[in-house]
Amino acid sequence: MGSSSPLTRRNRAPPSSVSSVLLSFLCFFVYVLDLSNAQSSSPVFACDVAANPSLAAYGFCNTVLKIEYRVADLVARLTLQEKIGFLVSKANGVTRLGIPTYEWWSEALHGVSYIGPGTHFSGQVPGATSFPQVILTAASFNVSLFQAIGKVVSTEARAMYNVGLAGLTYWSPNVNIFRDPRWGRGQETPGEDPLLASKYASGYVKGLQETDGGDSNRLKVAACCKHYTAYDVDNWKGVERYSFNAVVTQQDMDDTYQPPFKSCVVDGNVASVMCSYNQVNGKPTCADPDLLSGVIRGEWKLNGYIVSDCDSVDVLYKNQHYTKTPAEAAAVSILAGLDLNCGSFLGQHTEEAVKAGLVNVTAIDKAITNNFLTLMRLGFFDGDPKKQMYGGLGPKDVCTPSNQELAAEAARQGIVLLKNTGSLPLSPTSIKTLAVIGPNANVTKTMIGNYEGTPCKYTTPLQGLAGTVSTRYLPGCSNVACAVADVAGATKLAATADVTVLVIGADQSIEAESRDRVDLNLPGQQSKLVTEVAKAAKGPVLLVIMSGGGFDITFAKNDPKITGILWVGYPGEAGGIAIADVIFGRYNPSGRLPMTWYPQSYVEKVPMTNMNMRPDKANDYPGRSYRFYAGETVYAFGDGLSYTKFSHSLVKAPHLVSLRLEENHVCRSSECQSLDAIGPHCENAVSGGGSAFEVHIKVRNGGDREGIHTVFLFTTPPAVHGSPRKHLLGFEKVRLGKMEEAVVRFKVEVCKDLSVVDEVGNRKISLGKHLLHVGDLKHYLSIRI
């Protein structure tokens, strides 16, 4: 989602005709106005019966009644103009009914954010806990961590709401698939794998939304899964998201792009889904009734509202020319199933659409009913929030020591050790001087990525390392663009140090919303800086890469002087603590890459605009992600080292699964390669009864220190229906002491987990040999009738 309208992003000339005195006065006035708003200490809510007893007579204020009845009562009391006021993100209040203006747009991607007008920081709450950017949290492969972070963020959000600094509706998380390494927003996502993205989506949503009372119809805050769907091109070589038409096969839609959104709705019970800017197969997503009413609300049964990305309705009219008039754009979006418009477009053009007969009031009632139901579930119409479940929360509950420690722990769990030829972990007692070099070595804001808030405090990588040993610091480049590298100064420093740590990578000037990369090389002269420092260094050289996406660092991977490589994502406010803890061995790294790191040659032959996941040999197209791409990689999905050694052995898994077909099933009389993954044969699939089996894997820590290990269970199905070459079936984390072992259990539902999506979007279970694998361990399983 954009932090501003696409129409206001374009460069504008300064207002030269306005005198500097007037400008100064205006700036001061805006500052004072903003300060007074930000310092507000009262939450925004409706049905303040204490202040206005007459409101008690309204059914929508009666908390004893069912929510559905209360919403119907409210909708019936509104005029058409008032109803239209509730179709936009800054919802107009209705004074006569005791309803204040409400701002829907707040963000909480990895902490309460100041992006979006619904949230502010002030003297009362100067900052909030800033967790690692999502891509690094995803690298932990820890579902309980995803939920724990969401719970802390929602607690801080409620605390800020109670003092008038935040809303209740948060347009997070971003669950798009990180399909292409050049995408500037890949940092916001849980990576390239549909299963990981799905588990992150439902886990984080549950953390944000679930109340301590356990009532699924009540919300702590309302989450929103975005950007629906097949959205992952922002601005690449002049191709912009506002006009991009994503051409996607039904197979790729159901197999790759849709699963995280489905998990959000079905498993996470998310309160909202946001439709994206782009078109999918020629239709704007926010005006596609099949995608909105058909899938989200129809198939998946969304309990909540559908919101547009900011100005998406305006974009489909002005940028995509999908309709001839603004009124038509308003009508087609509402009729498709859009309930709320981020921006003001529906507020300006819906009445005209009604008068022209393009949309009726019933459709508007349906939309605002979904919006009001969400606010009702949040307690917005229940009177004073301070008398409700989370009324006791306040500034004291933001940036608590335990919240900040969770931010550090999340960064520790996500950091991925990609190379270690023996120098790591470092021994503090054997190091007299540590050289710390690089444009990201002493950064603050870079560490928190985008859709950020003001953090509680920062610990930079340099500060983290300097807290353990004596350090000497040189930036090496003035910024990550690194137009000029101070090679002479950096090599001189490295030549005198016992160990050199290079902290390099990217920031929002390299990869960001509205900014996709064009290559996978380190920016500017960073590669030269790294290579020359490695040549000159007296001792081991460690490379720390801070970024959202991967780089082609083959040169560093193959350089024997570079003895260790760490990827640290954008590690959040406590990044320096986590980096130092891993480098000095206070924490044994356990993160795994949630995305493939490709060589530069990959992007030279793959246009970012090609949405196909599967390879096409005829057109020399190699496919995407570890599931379909079989070519050379720099590092693979799931890569990550530990300071100890784990091994796997198979304890239990079947060799045969028999599907019991009905007497008249067509595959009894003709040879079939696959069966539909629904039906009686799925309900009683395994020999001996039941529709699932277990795989038990013994994991042993054969090293001399405790470690945490992620056990990945992959499956390779028979090569039919363009099936993946490899597919993540499940993952579990296990903590083991030195020489300790444990059994990890996976439950495999035959028709769900071992099925693939065919060419037209149907799930099929392939007959024949399936390969289950964990690390180097392989087990063949036959499925037959």
Side-chain angles (χ1 to χ4, degrees):
M1 191 182 68
S3 57
S4 62
S5 144
L7 307 176
T8 59
R9 287 178 184 274
R10 298 170 186 149
N11 294 329
R12 292 176 173 175
S16 55
S17 60
V18 182
S19 72
S20 59
V21 175
L22 182 57
L23 269 175
S24 299
F25 171 77
L26 284 171
C27 289
F28 176 75
F29 176 75
V30 169
Y31 169 76
V32 171
L33 186 66
D34 183 62
L35 196 64
S36 63
N37 288 338
Q39 294 287 356
S40 168
S41 60
S42 299
V44 175
F45 63 96
C47 298
D48 188 355
V49 175
N52 183 358
S54 67
L55 298 178
Y58 295 133
F60 68 86
C61 289
N62 187 344
T63 57
V64 176
L65 299 175
K66 284 188 174 180
I67 284 178
E68 293 76 10
Y69 179 87
R70 295 173 66 190
V71 170
D73 177 79
L74 173 54
V75 171
R77 295 178 187 276
L78 299 174
T79 66
L80 175 61
Q81 289 75 20
E82 287 169 344
K83 289 174 180 178
I84 291 169
F86 289 107
L87 292 172
V88 294
S89 51
K90 189 175 181 67
N92 292 334
V94 181
T95 307
R96 67 184 180 85
L97 297 177
I99 303 171
T101 296
Y102 176 72
E103 176 56 68
W104 285 81
W105 181 5
S106 291
E107 301 277 354
L109 182 68
H110 50 105
V112 180
S113 169
Y114 47 58
I115 306 297
T119 308
H120 311 273
F121 292 98
S122 74
Q124 270 187 303
V125 182
T129 308
S130 188
F131 290 91
Q133 182 60 293
V134 176
I135 192 68
L136 189 73
T137 295
S140 73
F141 283 87
N142 185 346
V143 176
S144 62
L145 178 66
F146 306 157
Q147 193 160 345
I149 292 172
K151 190 170 184 178
V152 165
V153 173
S154 61
T155 294
E156 295 196 347
R158 270 283 177 176
M160 291 176 66
Y161 168 72
N162 285 344
V163 291
L165 294 172
L168 293 168
T169 45
Y170 289 83
W171 292 345
S172 307
N174 178 344
V175 300
N176 292 117
I177 293 293
F178 195 176
R179 173 188 62 96
D180 190 292
R182 293 164 287 192
W183 188 30
R185 304 190 72 175
Q187 59 178 294
E188 302 173 31
T189 77
E192 71 181 33
D193 179 68
L195 178 71
L196 173 60
S198 296
K199 287 187 175 291
Y200 178 85
S202 58
Y204 190 64
V205 165
K206 286 177 181 177
L208 287 175
Q209 292 193 164
E210 289 182 353
T211 63
D212 296 336
D215 182 350
S216 63
N217 209 33
R218 286 285 174 173
L219 297 167
K220 191 176 178 187
V221 301
C224 172
C225 288
K226 63 186 187 185
H227 312 79
Y228 181 83
T229 183
Y231 167 75
D232 55 15
V233 174
D234 264 58
N235 187 352
W236 178 75
K237 295 186 176 181
V239 178
E240 282 200 304
R241 55 185 175 169
Y242 308 121
S243 54
F244 178 59
N245 177 30
V247 178
V248 189
T249 67
Q250 192 61 50
Q251 187 173 30
D252 283 342
M253 278 290 282
D254 291 341
D255 182 55
T256 297
Y257 298 110
Q258 295 289 67
F261 292 99
K262 182 177 182 179
S263 185
C264 269
V265 178
V266 176
D267 303 322
N269 191 26
V270 76
S272 177
V273 174
M274 175 184 286
C275 50
S276 52
Y277 289 120
N278 57 291
Q279 296 186 354
V280 174
N281 298 328
K283 287 186 180 179
T285 62
C286 292
D288 189 335
D290 294 330
L291 284 176
L292 303 189
S293 297
V295 176
I296 300 177
R297 201 168 292 286
E299 290 179 28
W300 300 342
K301 311 296 181 193
L302 174 72
N303 179 18
Y305 69 101
I306 299 173
V307 61
S308 74
D309 202 339
C310 292
D311 294 317
S312 280
V313 187
D314 189 47
V315 162
L316 71 88
Y317 165 64
K318 285 184 180 170
N319 296 59
Q320 299 172 7
H321 310 294
Y322 188 70
T323 64
K324 291 180 180 177
T325 68
E328 287 172 352
V332 73
S333 301
I334 293 168
L335 291 172
L338 187 71
D339 302 311
L340 189 73
N341 162 216
C342 175
S344 57
F345 192 90
L346 290 186
Q348 295 167 350
H349 302 292
T350 301
E351 187 170 1
E352 180 187 348
V354 173
K355 287 177 178 176
L358 299 172
V359 65
N360 59 30
V361 178
T362 303
I364 294 168
D365 288 352
K366 189 176 177 182
I368 62 171
T369 292
N370 292 325
N371 300 338
F372 287 140
L373 280 168
T374 304
L375 290 177
M376 288 276 182
R377 294 173 68 199
L378 287 160
F380 185 79
F381 288 92
D382 293 353
D384 188 353
K386 293 183 179 178
K387 296 178 181 176
Q388 296 179 41
M389 182 182 293
Y390 297 104
L393 295 175
K396 70 182 189 311
D397 300 294
V398 183
C399 286
T400 65
S402 63
N403 292 358
Q404 293 187 64
E405 170 53 30
L406 185 63
E409 179 61 19
R412 292 184 199 107
Q413 289 196 27
I415 289 174
V416 183
L417 178 61
L418 292 170
K419 177 181 179 180
N420 184 19
T421 57
S423 62
L424 285 169
L426 298 182
S427 168
T429 55
S430 63
I431 297 173
K432 290 180 181 175
T433 56
L434 181 74
V436 183
I437 300 170
N440 278 338
N442 199 33
V443 291
T444 52
K445 195 174 180 184
T446 296
M447 294 197 301
I448 59 177
N450 68 355
Y451 282 83
E452 76 284 8
T454 304
C456 311
K457 62 182 180 184
Y458 286 112
T459 304
T460 72
L462 176 62
Q463 289 170 336
L465 295 167
T468 301
V469 296
S470 175
T471 59
R472 293 180 65 196
Y473 164 62
L474 185 78
C477 310
S478 59
N479 53 41
V480 291
C482 199
V484 178
D486 181 7
V487 173
T491 53
K492 184 179 178 182
L493 178 57
T496 62
D498 296 324
V499 179
T500 298
V501 177
L502 282 155
V503 190
I504 61 166
D507 64 12
Q508 301 305 306
S509 70
I510 303 295
E511 51 181 4
E513 183 172 6
S514 296
R515 183 177 293 117
D516 298 325
R517 288 189 282 162
V518 293
D519 62 51
L520 302 182
N521 299 316
L522 287 171
Q525 295 192 23
Q526 285 193 41
S527 297
K528 180 181 179 183
L529 178 70
V530 172
T531 301
E532 294 304 316
V533 164
K535 279 183 193 172
K538 181 177 83 171
V541 175
L542 306 178
L543 194 59
V544 176
I545 301 166
M546 192 179 293
S547 70
F551 288 101
D552 184 350
I553 54 165
T554 306
F555 75 95
K557 181 180 179 181
N558 295 336
D559 188 333
K561 286 293 294 289
I562 298 173
T563 59
I565 301 176
L566 293 163
W567 175 68
V568 300
Y570 293 119
E573 64 172 44
I577 296 170
I579 290 167
D581 284 347
V582 169
I583 284 176
F584 290 109
R586 294 186 289 265
Y587 188 88
N588 190 348
S590 61
R592 302 291 198 96
L593 284 183
M595 73 296 202
T596 304
W597 284 33
Y598 300 91
Q600 168 62 16
S601 58
Y602 175 84
V603 300
E604 286 169 358
K605 62 181 179 182
V606 178
M608 195 174 169
T609 48
N610 189 326
M611 301 294 291
N612 292 331
M613 298 302 298
R614 288 159 169 79
D616 179 357
K617 288 182 181 177
N619 293 304
D620 196 29
Y621 180 70
R624 295 182 181 276
S625 84
Y626 81 94
R627 298 171 68 224
F628 300 104
Y629 171 72
E632 177 192 354
T633 63
V634 181
Y635 289 107
F637 173 87
D639 275 0
L641 304 172
S642 170
Y643 294 151
T644 187
K645 181 69 175 172
F646 294 98
S647 60
H648 312 103
S649 57
L650 182 65
V651 176
K652 177 184 178 182
H655 288 284
L656 174 67
V657 169
S658 296
L659 300 176
R660 298 172 182 170
L661 301 186
E662 297 166 287
E663 293 296 326
N664 60 349
H665 197 285
V666 65
C667 291
R668 280 186 174 274
S669 55
S670 61
E671 195 167 321
C672 294
Q673 285 188 313
S674 63
L675 301 169
D676 289 335
I678 53 171
H681 54 275
C682 284
E683 292 151 24
N684 194 20
V686 183
S687 298
S691 58
F693 61 84
E694 289 199 347
V695 175
H696 295 180
I697 305 292
K698 184 184 286 183
V699 185
R700 185 171 188 271
N701 179 359
D704 60 359
R705 66 172 66 217
E706 180 184 80
I708 299 170
H709 182 55
T710 300
V711 184
F712 294 114
L713 177 60
F714 290 100
T715 176
T716 298
V720 295
H721 301 304
S723 59
R725 55 183 291 273
K726 185 179 178 183
H727 179 67
L728 186 59
L729 191 152
F731 56 89
E732 295 289 341
K733 298 210 76 151
V734 58
R735 182 192 293 269
L736 295 173
K738 59 182 180 180
M739 308 308 289
E740 188 180 356
E741 58 186 34
V743 174
V744 174
R745 294 170 171 81
F746 294 95
K747 183 179 179 182
V748 180
E749 295 184 38
V750 176
C751 289
K752 175 174 173 262
D753 297 321
L754 297 182
S755 60
V756 297
V757 176
D758 72 6
E759 294 79 356
V760 293
N762 296 321
R763 279 219 159 258
K764 298 280 189 176
I765 182 154
S766 302
L767 299 174
K769 275 192 175 181
H770 293 244
L771 174 64
L772 302 179
H773 36 119
V774 175
D776 296 329
L777 182 68
K778 292 178 168 55
H779 175 77
Y780 283 97
L781 162 75
S782 288
I783 298 181
R784 68 187 189 193
I785 55 175

